[in-house]
Amino acid sequence: MHLLIDIGNSTVVVAVTDDSGAIYKTWRYKTLKDQTMAYYRHELYTGSKKYKIDFSKISKVFISSVVPEVNDDIAQAISDLTGVTPLFFSIEHAKRFMTFDVESPSQVGKDRLADSIGAICHYGVPAIIIDMGTATTISVIDEKRRFLGGMIIPGTKTSLAALSSRASQLPSITIEHPNNVIGKNTLENMHSGIVYGTAAMIDGVIEKIISELPDTETYKAPKLIATGGMAKTIMPYCEHDIIVDDHLIFKGLDIACSTTLGVEMTA
């Protein structure tokens, strides 16, 4: 089995594959930069007990991280619990699956790279990938498997938190499905604004990106894939047909991990 870990700005998400490579258990806990290794070891251990994960059966640990401050603590916690030294996903792993048409490939977030591998190998190219986490990132892969770049946008919850904290008369709210586009009170206005507004932004961005993709004789419409914590909430309100894949980053990590182990993977 493989242990796959996505260290994000808000949460650490842990996934475990079964013997066939399918992701069958996931859990998450907060990313806390001021905590020690003991915190991360405790959270990993607690999750393993809750989901009946036998760490002695873990053969490989692969980590995608955008928070380097906690990497050493998490790596040590994993090594203590599993006896396996984890590998950190890097741009070199990604280069096995794509080329780059950006100024600094090494600066592309590891989460975006893993998402891209998952999209390439499971859905095909060209592809537009929307990852809705602390930030909403949009990544574009053309039909030649070139990573063209994309966008980084304030995340849905990040935007809402900023709105509530900066506007004294607007309350803190949870994101819910709006009843109407035209809200009749403050809460309805906020629910409609954050959900329909974000969906309209995603639709508009997709159209802008498609208009910039190069025309070719073999042009195909890009696959649209969304992932991340807010994807299931926002995508139903988009006009485009967008696939929601909760495990896209882990699918990409597992493929990269398997190739690192010498297992042949075909896209």
Side-chain angles (χ1 to χ4, degrees):
M1 296 192 298
H2 294 167
L3 186 67
L4 309 170
I5 298 180
D6 172 28
I7 305 174
N9 289 295
S10 299
T11 58
V12 177
V13 188
V14 182
V16 182
T17 65
D18 61 19
D19 293 336
S20 69
I23 295 157
Y24 79 105
K25 293 292 183 184
T26 63
W27 69 93
R28 67 180 59 222
Y29 53 93
K30 291 183 178 180
T31 305
L32 299 177
K33 296 179 185 179
D34 58 349
Q35 284 290 342
T36 66
M37 183 269 290
Y39 164 76
Y40 293 103
R41 184 170 56 193
H42 171 75
E43 294 295 335
L44 283 165
Y45 178 79
T46 300
S48 71
K49 292 302 179 185
K50 180 178 179 180
Y51 296 106
K52 297 180 173 58
I53 304 300
D54 184 354
F55 277 154
S56 69
K57 294 183 178 179
I58 299 297
S59 62
K60 199 78 169 180
V61 182
F62 218 48
I63 301 174
S64 166
S65 175
V66 296
V67 190
E69 298 92 329
V70 305
N71 287 355
D72 288 345
D73 286 335
I74 291 182
Q76 186 60 57
I78 291 167
S79 181
D80 288 351
L81 291 171
T82 67
V84 176
T85 300
L87 295 177
F88 281 85
F89 176 62
S90 72
I91 184 70
E92 297 307 317
H93 297 110
K95 285 179 178 178
R96 299 175 182 177
F97 301 90
M98 68 191 92
T99 58
F100 292 86
D101 185 12
V102 296
E103 290 183 0
S104 300
S106 62
Q107 294 182 1
V108 179
K110 305 303 186 298
D111 50 350
R112 298 176 71 182
L113 297 177
D115 283 341
S116 297
I117 293 171
I120 289 168
C121 295
H122 285 272
Y123 299 103
V125 292
I128 298 173
I129 304 138
I130 305 130
D131 191 334
M132 306 190 73
T134 304
T136 294
T137 62
I138 299 180
S139 304
V140 184
I141 313 293
D142 72 6
E143 72 279 1
K144 296 181 180 179
R145 295 189 175 192
R146 291 182 300 182
F147 185 98
L148 301 181
M151 294 182 177
I152 301 174
I153 306 162
T156 307
K157 289 184 178 180
T158 304
S159 298
L160 184 59
L163 180 65
S164 297
S165 66
R166 297 295 293 272
S168 59
Q169 291 188 317
L170 296 181
S172 296
I173 65 169
T174 57
I175 298 175
E176 299 176 2
H177 296 287
N179 294 322
N180 302 289
V181 175
I182 302 172
K184 299 300 183 182
N185 56 51
T186 299
L187 291 179
E188 288 185 359
N189 274 256
M190 293 178 72
H191 286 145
S192 177
I194 199 66
V195 173
Y196 281 109
T198 302
M201 180 270 292
I202 295 294
D203 280 325
V205 162
I206 288 170
E207 290 301 319
K208 290 288 187 182
I209 289 171
I210 290 174
S211 72
E212 286 194 7
L213 290 176
D215 291 327
T216 64
E217 293 181 1
T218 60
Y219 172 80
K220 296 187 295 183
K223 303 289 179 62
L224 307 175
I225 309 106
T227 191
M230 290 304 301
K232 282 185 176 179
T233 300
I234 301 299
M235 293 307 114
Y237 295 90
C238 291
E239 296 294 329
H240 289 84
D241 185 13
I242 303 172
I243 300 164
V244 176
D245 188 334
D246 291 337
H247 294 153
L248 185 66
I249 189 170
F250 294 119
K251 290 177 179 178
L253 281 178
D254 196 51
I255 292 167
C257 181
S258 296
T259 58
T260 300
L261 283 168
V263 177
E264 293 295 329
M265 300 295 296
T266 58

